[in-house]
Each structure stands twice: as C-alpha cells, then as structure tokens.
Amino acid sequence: MSAQIIDGKAFAVTVREKVAGHVARLKEENDITPGLAVVLVGEDPASQVYVRSKGKQTVEVGMNSYEHKLDVDTSEADLLALIDKLNNDPAVHGILVQLPLPGHLNEDLVINSIDPSKDVDGFHISNVGLLGTGQKSMVPCTPLGCLMMLREHHGSLSGMDAVVIGRSNIVGKPMAQLLLGDSCTVTIAHSRTKDLPEVVRRADIVVAAVGRPEMVPGDWIKEGATVIDVGINRIDAPEKGEGKTRLVGDVHFESAAAVAGAITPVPGGVGPMTIACLLANTVTACCRANGLAEPEGLTA
C-alpha cells in the first residue's frame, strides 16, 4: 500500500475541538449556548444508535441537546406541530429530523417544514437552491466533511479534475456543487455513465457515494489520485465466523490504496466527519441567527 491514509476519525476530533472552542466563546462573550434538537420517530435500531451518538457529542462540545422521541405511529400533523414549535424556539438553533421516517410520513413535506436557517442537515429545498447558486446556505454534513478533508489534504483544489460517483440529493449532488465552488472541474457519474472506468481514471479526486460494496477497483484509479469513499456497506465475512459481517466502502480499499496518493478508510474515514459537521453547522446557524461572525474553518 502506497497511499496516505486520510484519518477521518482523527480529523473529526479536531473539528469537534474547534466547535467546542467556538461554543465556549459564544457563552463567554455573548451569553449564548447553541442548541440542537433531534427528532426521532419510531424505534429503528440504527437510527437510535445514531441519535444517541449525536446527543452525546452535542453535550461534549458544550451545546444544549434536545431530543424528541416520538411513537412510530405519530401522525404527520403532530410531527409538523412539533417542528413548528422548534422553529419558533429561540433556544434551538439547529433542527434535525432523523431519516428514514415511517412510511406514512411524507419526508419531503417534513424536511421542508423546517426553518431553512435551522436546517442543519442542509436538505431543505431552499438550502439546496442556495448551494446550487453559490449563495450562503446550510450544507449537508457528509459532503461538507468530505470537502474539509480534501482542503486539509490539498490546500487549494482549484483546477483539479473531480469525479463524483453517485447522484443522490444527500451526497452526490451537493458534493459536486461544493467542488465546483472550490473551482474544480466536476463530473457527476452514475450507473448509466458510459465507460465509467475511463471517466474515473482521469480524475485527480474521486468521491465514491453509490452504496455498492467495493464497486470501484484500483484499476479505475489514476496514480496519485485522492479517493474519498463515502460508502458504508455491510457484507458477509465468513473468515470471521458463521453469520459474521464486516464493513466495506464503495471502493476496493486494498487495490485502490496501491495506486492512490491518498484514501479514506471504511470505517474511520468519512463516517466520523458527518456528526462533527452537524455540530459545526449548528454553531454556524447560531452565529447567523445572532448576527455574529461565522466560525472560520467550519463552513463551506
């Protein structure tokens, strides 16, 4: 293996330390404590773990954490009423509704009912439009984390050729917009892209976000390229015992690491940055709400 490992877990610690410093200054200089409200509907096990982790890290950086756990059969009207209450609560600067929602709830309607200035997930249609037109917005956490790591590794991204594999609203599309904003030449590739391997081979930066285990092999990667693997896939691991599994990314790590200049591992790469950037977005939202300077290094 020749590639430098981009340690997302260590970088996320650095981001959280920056957030904690900004929170402390907001309290000391302005008597303001940023607050993050997380809404969980139902008892999805993965969502419960994620929400607990968010709450724990929110408190650790000195912010207020407000958790709202609702029954799986909560009506749309009741959920929207809660969001309206949070929209109008000055102590709440960030609102996150944990996805996926139960099938009887309209996710688009729910997300678009959040005050865009408190939409720390960056999914509201207004924030999507602002990001797409290069204006100040709340930026989705996972792409923001990827951008932070790329900036940290390369410094300037200007003029670099970037390929984003995946066109989701959560990662692929906003990732492309952020890279354009940093003056990359950007291609969004996907399952219908003709000669996908050749498209990927020309890239200085490859961001893989397709949700297919180890789809991108090393021979798709240009020598010295930087590979950001957003995928988190659980596959069978018979070598660990019957019924055991392991996590892999969308990139075949071993073969890609042999040719790439730098690469994120799975786990321990992009994943830890997502919650760190959620905290960063909450601080940013708090500063904007109070007419204060935004924290440097924590926004796009």
Side-chain angles (χ1 to χ4, degrees):
M1 183 179 70
S2 60
Q4 177 182 340
I5 302 301
I6 299 176
D7 188 341
K9 190 173 182 180
F11 192 54
V13 171
T14 301
V15 172
R16 291 197 301 272
E17 288 173 349
K18 289 181 180 179
V19 169
H22 286 294
V23 170
R25 283 190 289 276
L26 282 169
K27 290 179 178 179
E28 181 179 348
E29 298 174 8
N30 305 98
D31 196 27
I32 298 169
T33 301
L36 173 63
V38 178
V39 179
L40 174 64
V41 184
E43 298 181 353
D44 178 76
S47 293
Q48 287 182 321
V49 170
Y50 201 38
V51 166
R52 278 198 299 271
S53 182
K54 288 173 180 174
K56 180 174 180 288
Q57 292 189 36
T58 300
V59 172
E60 285 176 348
V61 297
M63 298 196 293
N64 290 328
S65 175
Y66 308 103
E67 292 186 9
H68 298 269
K69 297 180 180 179
L70 307 180
D71 292 337
V72 68
D73 58 356
T74 295
S75 70
E76 198 162 79
D78 286 346
L79 177 55
L80 293 175
L82 172 60
I83 292 172
D84 184 62
K85 180 181 177 182
L86 297 173
N87 283 340
N88 291 289
D89 186 344
V92 173
H93 302 97
I95 302 170
L96 182 148
V97 177
Q98 183 64 42
L99 303 179
L101 290 171
H104 68 284
L105 300 173
N106 183 326
E107 288 190 356
D108 289 338
L109 176 64
V110 170
I111 295 304
N112 289 322
S113 70
I114 298 172
D115 181 338
S117 68
K118 296 187 178 187
D119 167 38
V120 286
D121 252 344
F123 295 163
H124 192 287
I125 190 65
S126 294
N127 283 318
V128 173
L130 290 168
L131 177 61
T133 52
Q135 300 179 68
K136 185 181 293 185
S137 68
M138 299 306 302
V139 179
C141 301
T142 298
L144 178 58
C146 295
L147 182 71
M148 285 182 179
M149 290 190 290
L150 285 167
R151 286 173 171 172
E152 175 72 13
H153 180 71
H154 285 288
S156 173
L157 306 181
S158 180
M160 299 185 76
D161 195 329
V163 170
V164 179
I165 312 173
R167 50 182 167 176
S168 73
N169 293 329
I170 294 173
V171 180
K173 291 175 184 176
M175 187 76 248
Q177 296 291 350
L178 290 172
L179 290 167
L180 280 171
D182 270 30
S183 298
C184 290
T185 299
V186 182
T187 300
I188 302 179
H190 46 78
S191 61
R192 302 291 180 88
T193 299
K194 292 183 179 179
D195 203 356
L196 180 58
E198 278 304 311
V199 171
V200 177
R201 283 188 191 108
R202 71 170 185 249
D204 304 308
I205 296 169
V206 177
V207 181
V210 286
R212 296 186 183 181
E214 300 180 328
M215 171 185 163
V216 181
D219 64 6
W220 289 17
I221 304 300
K222 182 170 78 173
E223 186 173 355
T226 300
V227 179
I228 305 293
D229 191 349
V230 182
I232 301 178
N233 310 286
R234 192 168 292 279
I235 63 172
D236 293 335
E239 72 279 4
K240 296 170 68 174
E242 185 177 352
K244 298 294 185 179
T245 61
R246 62 187 176 94
L247 289 177
V248 298
D250 291 347
V251 177
H252 186 273
F253 181 81
E254 288 77 13
S255 62
V259 293
I263 190 170
T264 59
V266 176
V270 174
M273 286 295 295
T274 298
I275 295 180
C277 288
L278 173 68
L279 303 177
N281 275 351
T282 304
V283 173
T284 297
C286 177
C287 290
R288 291 176 181 174
N290 288 279
L292 301 171
E294 295 180 17
E296 289 187 15
L298 296 181
T299 60

